[in-house]
Amino acid sequence: MALSLQSLLILFTTLLLKQILVDAATCSNCFTRSRAAHYPNSDEQGTDVGACGFGSFGATINGGDVSAASDLYRNGVGCGACYQVRCTNSNYCSDKGVTVVVTDQGSGHNTDFVLSQRAFGRMAQTTDAAASLLALGVVDIEYRRVSCSYPNKNITIKIDESSDYPHYLAFVLWYQQGDKDITAVQLCETQNFVCKLLDRSHGAVWTTTSPPSGPLSLRMLLSGEDGDESWIVPINNIPENWKGGETYDTGVQISV
């Protein structure tokens, strides 16, 4: 029996609604509209006193294409995340934009990003256009989360200078690849595998008083926007006699 016009319209509307819901649920690759400014009194690179706790590393990582974030800072969880940011003024802006790493917290003029001057200018089509963008100071943009990529680099542990062996340990993680957040970190004794959950002191700085003794194994919980979670265990251990200011290669990298 042929379907009535009303039945066909209902069927079409239902299918269209289902497709819209599917697209909305899978649109992790979509751009979000916002605004971006740049550090007004800095050199081309970022700041070495950013809220993420990266120090001078935070100014030079990714070639200096870094940014402060407002809501995307997420109480420090967003530190180390990468975003493709492109301005929308067709007179000046390229289609590709620039990929930045979040190393700081900050906002201005209702912005989601405060980019280094280098990153801000790299959204432009040409050198002259970059100068015009920088003169504007604040521009309309669109952005999306993308994978961080550090070729030939493993996740690296940087022991903070405030650490006091063996009573207090603080560190940050460098070269976080991929598009997932590090939401928890454990330190485990390598001999009996007793583990201790660390505190996020601020930004990307993980701390513990009375750290486990001996060589230490690290475990990191990776969390995706889709709710997927998984633990990653580095190959290399933190040596027994760790020292403030030292860096230790974990021997692993998160898959992109």
Side-chain angles (χ1 to χ4, degrees):
M1 180 181 295
L3 293 173
S4 66
L5 179 60
Q6 183 178 11
S7 297
L8 287 172
L9 287 173
I10 292 173
L11 178 61
F12 175 77
T13 303
T14 301
L15 292 174
L16 181 61
L17 179 59
K18 285 183 177 180
Q19 185 60 47
I20 291 174
L21 292 174
V22 168
D23 290 344
T26 60
C27 198
S28 60
N29 206 35
C30 292
F31 284 92
T32 300
R33 291 187 178 276
S34 183
R35 287 161 62 82
H38 62 78
Y39 287 107
N41 299 314
S42 69
D43 56 19
E44 283 197 346
Q45 297 176 327
T47 174
D48 58 4
V49 292
C52 288
F54 290 130
S56 58
F57 174 79
T60 59
I61 186 176
N62 197 38
D65 290 338
V66 298
S67 179
S70 51
D71 292 343
L72 296 172
Y73 179 77
R74 293 176 289 144
N75 294 319
V77 175
C79 290
C82 291
Y83 292 89
Q84 180 185 3
V85 182
R86 59 189 190 189
C87 53
T88 57
N89 187 325
S90 59
N91 293 323
Y92 304 125
C93 305
S94 69
D95 293 334
K96 183 179 180 180
V98 64
T99 297
V100 297
V101 182
V102 173
T103 61
D104 195 9
Q105 181 183 28
S107 64
H109 304 287
N110 298 315
T111 63
D112 274 311
F113 295 93
V114 181
L115 280 66
S116 64
Q117 290 192 17
R118 168 187 163 89
F120 200 89
R122 280 166 56 82
M123 292 190 295
Q125 300 171 9
T126 64
T127 302
D128 290 342
S132 298
L133 277 184
L134 287 165
L136 291 174
V138 181
V139 295
D140 293 326
I141 62 158
E142 52 187 16
Y143 70 90
R144 63 181 176 183
R145 179 81 179 264
V146 295
S147 291
C148 298
S149 180
Y150 304 106
N152 303 316
K153 295 290 186 180
N154 294 322
I155 296 175
T156 299
I157 300 165
K158 168 61 165 48
I159 307 295
D160 193 81
E161 286 79 3
S162 66
S163 298
D164 180 22
Y165 178 85
H167 308 292
Y168 174 73
L169 175 60
F171 62 82
V172 295
L173 299 171
W174 291 357
Y175 303 120
Q176 176 188 337
Q177 200 167 3
D179 60 0
K180 293 185 177 181
D181 299 318
I182 297 177
T183 54
V185 175
Q186 289 184 335
L187 272 182
C188 304
E189 296 182 9
T190 56
Q191 292 183 348
N192 55 23
F193 213 67
V194 173
C195 297
K196 183 174 185 179
L197 190 65
L198 304 190
D199 298 317
R200 185 189 294 274
S201 170
H202 66 278
V205 180
W206 298 92
T207 65
T208 181
T209 56
S210 302
S213 59
L216 301 175
S217 173
L218 197 69
R219 301 179 75 233
M220 298 169 287
L221 181 64
L222 305 180
S223 301
E225 294 181 353
D226 57 0
D228 179 56
E229 293 186 331
S230 60
W231 287 93
I232 183 172
V233 180
I235 297 171
N236 300 330
N237 296 323
I238 300 175
E240 179 176 2
N241 298 316
W242 49 263
K243 297 179 180 179
E246 294 294 318
T247 57
Y248 301 107
D249 189 329
T250 66
V252 298
Q253 187 53 270
I254 300 171
S255 299
V256 177

